[in-house]
Amino acid sequence: MENHKVSSYKFDCNAGEGNTLATALRKYIISGCSSWRPIGFRFDSETANSAVIADNVIQSCVKFCTTFTSLDFDLNAEGDFYEEHYTFKGRLDSDGLNNSVVKCLTPGVNLLQATDDSPISFTVYFRKSSGVHSNEENRVFLQERLNTTDRLSFSIVASVHYLAQSITFEINSFDTKDVVEMKFSDCEKGEELVKEAASVMIGRLQRLL
């Protein structure tokens, strides 16, 4: 059975308001909170294509992209687009992806294995968004950000920008208040997400006044 890390956050509200608030917060976090996801992979090898990364790399391009997109990331970058360049020799795992901008939150995952010490270079394109984007949507996005109308010859993948595997909540009702506990599967930022969602919702409500 697969184990999922669960984080939770509790807050109080007026009696009878717990379900309404928790439902609204959950809906916004699922559909509105954005996250960084990899959407494109370009290898510098002359032999690189949709199947082969390089003559001296064991893994196929499809397997690499699948493994890479299963990782979780946090980026210290502005805007909604970022490209990161990597170079490695011999072996690359997820711990080798970390730098001042990109932080991989999934440690110890083997990504690539070369048969010799020749350097392998590649670029990963990241997109910050919410919800789900198809390959075609990400292709159009990359063409816009790279300022080109030419056909993109590197691998482009669909992306899922949900910040938690699942979000549930429980409510304990008392005479004068409800105590709401929101639980987040495969997400360590439960409190941060609730506060971000609440801040955005308060701002939108204030514009109605």
Side-chain angles (χ1 to χ4, degrees):
M1 180 179 294
E2 186 177 1
N3 293 321
H4 295 282
K5 295 181 179 178
V6 177
S7 63
S8 63
Y9 179 65
K10 287 185 178 181
F11 63 89
D12 298 349
C13 60
N14 293 333
E17 296 180 354
N19 186 73
T20 300
L21 287 174
T23 300
L25 289 166
R26 179 181 182 276
K27 183 176 181 179
Y28 177 79
I29 292 170
I30 289 175
S31 63
C33 287
S34 58
S35 65
W36 288 99
R37 298 301 304 152
I39 62 170
F41 305 89
R42 179 174 59 80
F43 284 86
D44 296 341
S45 166
E46 294 181 358
T47 59
N49 55 48
S50 60
V52 177
I53 291 175
D55 291 338
N56 64 327
V57 172
I58 297 172
Q59 286 85 353
S60 69
C61 189
V62 173
K63 182 177 180 180
F64 168 77
C65 293
T66 300
T67 304
F68 201 104
T69 54
S70 71
L71 307 176
D72 292 323
F73 294 91
D74 190 17
L75 273 68
N76 181 26
E78 299 293 332
D80 61 2
F81 176 66
Y82 183 77
E83 58 182 278
E84 182 61 54
H85 305 278
Y86 297 98
T87 299
F88 77 99
K89 295 181 180 180
R91 174 188 170 94
L92 175 68
D93 60 30
S94 57
D95 299 316
L97 301 175
N98 295 315
N99 56 39
S100 59
V101 176
V102 179
K103 181 180 180 182
C104 179
L105 306 177
T106 313
V109 177
N110 181 34
L111 295 170
L112 290 173
Q113 182 71 51
T115 58
D116 57 38
D117 288 332
S118 299
I120 303 294
S121 297
F122 64 96
T123 300
V124 179
Y125 299 98
F126 291 89
R127 179 179 186 176
K128 188 177 184 180
S129 187
S130 58
V132 179
H133 296 289
S134 66
N135 300 57
E136 178 62 17
E137 289 172 330
N138 284 333
R139 181 190 66 78
V140 172
F141 173 83
L142 283 168
Q143 286 180 314
E144 292 174 350
R145 294 301 181 272
L146 296 174
N147 194 27
T148 182
T149 57
D150 295 339
R151 178 179 177 273
L152 301 178
S153 59
F154 52 84
S155 296
I156 301 170
V157 299
S159 55
V160 179
H161 298 263
Y162 296 142
L163 294 174
Q165 184 73 16
S166 66
I167 304 173
T168 60
F169 59 84
E170 296 178 358
I171 301 171
N172 290 317
S173 298
F174 300 92
D175 291 340
T176 59
K177 67 178 181 180
D178 285 350
V179 178
V180 180
E181 181 178 13
M182 302 193 70
K183 297 181 179 181
F184 302 81
S185 178
D186 282 354
C187 175
E188 298 179 354
K189 298 182 177 181
E191 179 178 353
E192 180 180 328
L193 291 177
V194 172
K195 290 182 177 180
E196 177 184 345
S199 177
V200 172
M201 292 167 62
I202 289 170
R204 291 178 177 176
L205 290 171
Q206 287 178 335
R207 289 198 292 269
L208 298 177
L209 301 177

